[in-house]
């Protein structure tokens, strides 16, 4: 997946519950403003997240590990709706 326009961070959320295991972790990685650098930073963040997920899976093989990825984006120069009186 390519980095969406305006993305300034990517967040990975992990959950693993079962057999006495309760893990809920959020990892957030900032992305630079450089359009040429962001894909490399995103790939590095994904590699780190996958390594973390693999570590949990190896430590608790009977417990499924779920992960999600979310990009935090800014869209500048977008007019807000006018306030109603």
């Amino acid at each position: 997946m390519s980095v969406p326009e305006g993305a300034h961070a990517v967040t990975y959320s992990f959950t693993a519950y079962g057999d006495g295991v309760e893990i809920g972790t959020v990892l957030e990685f900032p992305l630079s403003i450089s359009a040429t650098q962001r894909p490399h930073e995103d790939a590095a963040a994904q590699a780190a997240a996958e390594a973390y997920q693999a570590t949990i899976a190896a430590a608790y093989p009977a417990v499924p590990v779920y992960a999600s990825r979310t990009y935090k984006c800014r869209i500048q120069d977008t007019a807000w709706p006018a306030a109603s009186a």
Side-chain angles (χ1 to χ4, degrees):
M1 173 180 194
S2 62
V3 180
E5 185 178 338
H8 63 89
V10 60
T11 302
Y12 290 87
S13 299
F14 301 91
T15 55
Y17 296 102
D19 291 340
V21 176
E22 293 185 17
I23 297 174
T25 304
V26 175
L27 304 176
E28 183 171 301
F29 300 92
L31 300 172
S32 68
I33 59 171
S34 168
T36 58
Q37 201 59 24
R38 273 191 306 255
H40 303 292
E41 295 168 345
D42 186 49
Q46 182 172 340
E50 288 172 352
Y52 180 76
Q53 185 176 15
T55 300
I56 296 171
Y60 307 102
V63 179
V65 181
Y66 301 98
S68 68
R69 172 175 56 191
T70 305
Y71 289 97
K72 292 185 177 182
C73 298
R74 283 188 200 102
I75 301 173
Q76 297 181 355
D77 299 322
T78 302
W80 286 88
S84 58

